Amino acid sequence: MTALAMMCATAHAQESTPSFSIIPEPAEVIAAEGQFAMTRETLIAVSGKEVQSSADFLVDYLERYLGYPLKTEKKTRSSNCISLVNKKSDEISGGYTLEVSANGILIEGNDAAGVFYGVQTLIQLLPTRAGVLPVLQAVKVHDYPRFAYRGMHLDVVRHYFPVSYIKKYLDYMALHKLNYFHWHLTDDQAWRIEMKSHPRLTEFGSNREGEIEGLYPGVYKELPYGGYYTQEEAKEIIKYAADRHITVIPEIDIPGHCMAVLATYPHFSTTPDEPKKAALTWGIYNKFNNVLAPTPEVFRFLKEVFSELCDLFPGQYVHVGGDECAKRWWQESEQAQRFMKEKGIKDERALQSYFIHYVQDVVNSKGKTLIGWDEILEGGIDKNCIVMNWRRVNHGVNAAKKGNRVIMTSSAYSYFNKVESRSQAEIGAGGVLPLRKVYDFQLVPEELTEEEAARIWGAQGCLWTEYIPTTWKVEFCIFPRMSALAENAWSTNGKSWENFVRKMEAQFARYDLWGARYSETFFRVNDVPRKR
Ligand code: ACM
């Protein structure tokens, strides 16, 4: 088929078959004649063990949501079969083709991840309501991701979520073809990952005494609040994520945001004689002294915990935090000033950089790569560090120009803890983040050259949980914005707000099918009637 004929067919497919509501939009969708009626005898054929988890995901989805418990087998057959094939080609990772014909369904991935994403697209061709027979319109899909990094973050410090819910969060990510889970494990309010080298961090530092009611500064009720993940639980989550082609990136936030560490080890502070407790509230800079002192004991601590983290998490990336470290406490500390003088460190920004370089060396010595929030640029960083751009995009631009890889998660476009509209009753962090703004976030800033633009590794949505104490609220905040993020990060062409709005009717029906909660702001803002 010529390119023009293909374009016409694609356009025709979109016009004449509005029933395709695939999010994120694939690179190419071509409707064909006929249909495939799935039956209880439909077989899922698995070509190799590396695609078994894709088959398991499909089987689980069909059984859980549509009441179709299908069987998987190693052998394929000529009809009534869903074949999952890993082509093991060196084409773009995550790319796949999906063909639905009267005889069955063929998914061919460039790699195992591609097969998994083909399965996610197949899931989006299935009925969005239980009680409807799965009769699929014939279609050919050719697809691949725009960005290699498509992430979601979850802060489990301000509020803790059980392993069972983390798995659900990973399922939601998988259904959106997202592939990095950024797990924010430590902060001022708690340390939530077991460290065999420092068990007190979770025995003591995972607990705080109270809980905010209303918006900051709010009122605090006495409520002992704790929880942490054992290493066995972390391994369970890592495996669950890997089965969904998701890499877990653990974050230990230093040298600021360390109040829970200092509550556990007050002598790690520049003000060791002040009493310290895991923080009830938030805010930084002049509020409380949450920074680590540059002492030999602290650096030994950092070496031990980051080494242990590298050993526990098999992924390539470890996150050091590095954000919002108030320099005041080092300025006021005789010990810190003496340390800087001895080491020839010119100012407090360079001291922050010293901490980051120190952890980078530990992480690199384990064969891994360091990621940090964009403040790690202060005082200079090595080229092999990855910058997570959370503030204004100029920091991401700056990092890309300096030669660093960048993940775009600018708070104005990517922090899903903000309210979705001003009229929303539920409280949220400052600022409003409408769905459209997430969708329209320009991930490659115009001022970058082609070479610099290639350093934009991808995008991420963040969920800080200061005002998110329940899983209900998590889902209310991430849906539907996670769907907009996914399309922005994945879709290479065919991205269109109007088409996205059209597809959202099916997407909301899917949320209902999954039993997920969501914000209904979309219907109000876009003047779309809510169909039930
Ligand atoms: C951040 O929001 N402090 C990374």
Side-chain angles (χ1 to χ4, degrees):
M1 199 187 268
T2 64
L4 182 64
M6 198 113 86
M7 269 168 59
C8 292
T10 308
H12 176 73
Q14 286 182 354
E15 271 164 31
S16 65
T17 54
S19 54
F20 293 127
S21 292
I22 304 166
I23 296 177
E25 184 69 25
E28 200 168 69
V29 181
I30 303 171
E33 291 294 315
Q35 57 187 34
F36 172 63
M38 211 180 265
T39 67
R40 290 184 186 280
E41 284 71 47
T42 301
L43 188 71
I44 301 176
V46 177
S47 67
K49 66 176 184 332
E50 74 284 1
V51 299
Q52 185 64 48
S53 64
S54 295
D56 293 344
F57 193 95
L58 181 58
V59 168
D60 181 65
Y61 190 96
L62 285 163
E63 178 164 9
R64 186 187 300 246
Y65 298 123
L66 298 173
Y68 263 71
L70 301 190
K71 291 205 169 49
T72 68
E73 270 200 21
K74 295 213 166 50
K75 277 199 300 274
T76 187
R77 70 180 183 210
S78 59
S79 67
N80 203 8
C81 184
I82 301 171
S83 291
L84 308 185
V85 178
N86 178 4
K87 286 196 298 176
K88 300 186 185 161
S89 83
D90 51 13
E91 289 171 86
I92 185 164
S93 173
Y96 67 91
T97 56
L98 160 71
E99 188 170 359
V100 178
S101 67
N103 273 341
I105 298 173
L106 173 64
I107 293 174
E108 290 184 303
N110 294 343
D111 51 13
V115 174
F116 188 74
Y117 298 138
V119 164
Q120 300 316 316
T121 297
L122 168 57
I123 281 174
Q124 300 230 332
L125 299 174
L126 293 171
T128 52
R129 291 176 199 282
V132 177
L133 291 175
V135 180
L136 277 61
Q137 147 110 46
V139 68
K140 216 168 170 173
V141 176
H142 172 227
D143 198 13
Y144 53 92
R146 178 181 179 207
F147 289 105
Y149 185 103
R150 304 173 305 279
M152 272 302 294
H153 151 286
L154 182 64
D155 165 14
V156 294
V157 175
R158 277 50 179 260
H159 287 99
Y160 168 88
F161 302 96
V163 172
S164 57
Y165 192 74
I166 303 286
K167 289 181 176 174
K168 203 164 192 185
Y169 198 79
L170 291 165
D171 279 338
Y172 292 145
M173 287 179 59
L175 288 161
H176 287 83
K177 303 187 175 86
L178 300 176
N179 62 348
Y180 284 92
F181 173 53
H182 173 179
W183 202 8
H184 185 75
L185 287 164
T186 75
D187 212 302
D188 294 319
Q189 296 75 16
W191 182 290
R192 300 221 186 273
I193 181 74
E194 178 191 19
M195 289 281 117
K196 306 272 190 206
S197 59
H198 293 79
R200 266 182 68 71
L201 284 168
T202 42
E203 281 164 17
F204 184 80
S206 66
N207 298 296
R208 64 168 187 253
E209 293 172 353
E211 173 81 0
I212 194 170
E213 237 172 33
L215 276 175
Y216 175 85
V219 289
Y220 289 83
K221 55 179 185 246
E222 255 183 64
L223 180 80
Y225 189 94
Y228 69 90
Y229 305 94
T230 64
Q231 294 203 353
E232 283 313 304
E233 286 171 330
K235 285 178 191 162
E236 197 180 322
I237 284 166
I238 292 162
K239 162 87 172 73
Y240 194 86
D243 284 344
R244 285 149 185 76
H245 295 272
I246 295 170
T247 301
V248 182
I249 299 175
E251 179 185 353
I252 289 181
D253 199 351
I254 67 110
H257 281 291
C258 278
M259 205 63 184
V261 177
L262 302 180
T264 313
Y265 303 114
H267 58 293
F268 287 3
S269 167
T270 61
T271 51
D273 299 330
E274 271 179 7
K276 302 264 188 312
K277 284 183 188 175
L280 304 187
T281 181
W282 25 93
I284 38 136
Y285 299 113
N286 297 328
K287 287 234 156 40
F288 40 62
N289 179 1
N290 61 358
V291 309
L292 295 174
T295 65
E297 226 184 328
V298 165
F299 287 112
R300 201 174 322 120
F301 167 80
L302 292 177
K303 187 169 187 176
E304 285 167 2
V305 294
F306 275 96
S307 298
E308 198 174 334
L309 201 69
C310 287
D311 293 342
L312 178 60
F313 286 84
Q316 180 59 31
Y317 306 98
V318 166
H319 202 301
V320 68
D323 58 321
E324 300 180 314
C325 179
K327 310 297 183 296
R328 167 188 165 187
W329 310 103
W330 290 332
Q331 280 158 359
E332 292 174 6
S333 156
E334 268 177 41
Q335 182 276 329
Q337 293 300 316
R338 215 169 35 246
F339 180 86
M340 287 164 60
K341 209 160 165 196
E342 275 164 25
K343 299 278 181 197
I345 297 171
K346 75 172 188 310
D347 59 17
E348 289 74 21
R349 284 159 65 90
L351 179 54
Q352 145 114 358
S353 184
Y354 184 93
F355 271 95
I356 302 300
H357 271 102
Y358 182 87
V359 173
Q360 185 204 333
D361 286 346
V362 174
V363 167
N364 288 169
S365 76
K366 293 277 184 181
K368 310 223 171 192
T369 307
L370 195 75
I371 303 181
W373 298 109
D374 54 45
E375 289 96 326
I376 66 168
L377 286 163
E378 285 177 15
I381 47 160
D382 286 356
K383 286 242 175 41
N384 77 0
C385 293
I386 297 168
V387 173
M388 198 170 257
N389 178 203
W390 74 277
R391 295 179 295 173
R392 293 159 67 98
V393 292
N394 61 306
H395 297 288
V397 168
N398 187 11
K401 285 194 179 295
K402 286 199 156 97
N404 293 92
R405 255 193 291 172
V406 182
I407 298 162
M408 302 301 280
T409 182
S410 187
S411 60
Y413 302 89
S414 315
Y415 276 23
F416 298 166
N417 42 310
K418 291 172 188 268
V419 294
E420 203 185 317
S421 80
R422 277 191 205 289
S423 57
Q424 161 182 320
E426 291 77 5
I427 62 170
V432 183
L433 178 54
L435 183 66
R436 175 101 202 226
K437 196 166 174 189
V438 179
Y439 193 80
D440 285 343
F441 182 20
Q442 191 177 340
L443 297 174
V444 180
E446 262 162 17
E447 48 273 62
L448 297 182
T449 64
E450 209 172 303
E451 190 186 351
E452 291 158 358
R455 300 197 186 110
I456 303 294
W457 191 25
Q460 175 171 291
C462 290
L463 198 70
W464 299 99
T465 58
E466 285 91 340
Y467 303 114
I468 305 180
T470 62
T471 56
W472 184 96
K473 188 82 183 281
V474 168
E475 294 177 7
F476 178 85
C477 290
I478 61 173
F479 293 133
R481 288 179 286 192
M482 188 198 274
S483 301
L485 164 86
E487 186 147 307
N488 200 20
W490 175 280
S491 299
T492 42
N493 59 37
K495 191 186 146 204
S496 135
W497 171 252
E498 287 67 33
N499 195 34
F500 182 75
V501 168
R502 176 192 66 76
K503 293 187 294 186
M504 284 311 289
E505 185 187 331
Q507 191 70 352
F508 277 102
R510 289 183 193 115
Y511 300 154
D512 282 333
L513 189 66
W514 305 337
R517 292 74 163 205
Y518 46 80
S519 155
E520 298 204 20
T521 291
F522 171 86
F523 300 100
R524 240 183 8 257
V525 169
N526 297 290
D527 203 16
V528 174
R530 181 82 184 95
K531 291 189 191 154
R532 303 238 181 223

